[in-house]
Amino acid sequence: MMSLFSSSTFCPFCRSHDVVPRSVGLKLFGTLGLLAGTASVLRASIKHLPTGTVSLPGVALSGIAAAVLAALNAGALGCEVGSKAGAQLDRMLLGNRFCQTCKRSFICL
């Protein structure tokens, strides 16, 4: 049975065309970039919120909203950079295709 994601490549082990992309590095590095970008900017933004004296509620809320928006923006950027690095790692080092017939992974050049 052909998969929706199968391409014109075939498995070098069993010659099946039931081959799908794995993308392990892309998923892993994208997730790590997302978490690292979000956590670092959120921590830095919250560290610089006004403390001590009682401030206006609007000032505190706008500072928190700015911190959250900056963290989301940095998370998106970290995810993009991590995904690109992971895709390169998949392409050059890891087995980037998976045969659903014989359950083996291989590199498709």
Side-chain angles (χ1 to χ4, degrees), residues 34-52:
L34 172 76
L35 293 176
T38 303
S40 63
V41 170
L42 189 62
R43 181 176 178 215
S45 296
I46 288 178
K47 185 189 292 187
H48 296 296
L49 284 177
T51 58

Side-chain angles (χ1 to χ4, degrees), residues 12-78:
F13 302 106
C14 70
R15 303 285 185 208
S16 171
H17 287 280
D18 198 12
V19 175
V20 294
R22 271 183 67 197
S23 304
V24 174
L26 182 129
K27 294 173 189 173
L28 178 68
F29 280 85
T31 303
L32 289 176
L34 172 76
L35 293 176
T38 303
S40 63
V41 170
L42 189 62
R43 181 176 178 215
S45 296
I46 288 178
K47 185 189 292 187
H48 296 296
L49 284 177
T51 58
T53 61
V54 176
S55 62
L56 297 173
V59 173
L61 289 177
S62 66
I64 292 171
V68 169
L69 288 176
L72 289 174
N73 196 13
L77 181 64

Side-chain angles (χ1 to χ4, degrees), residues 70-87:
L72 289 174
N73 196 13
L77 181 64
C79 182
E80 181 180 350
V81 170
S83 295
K84 287 184 179 181

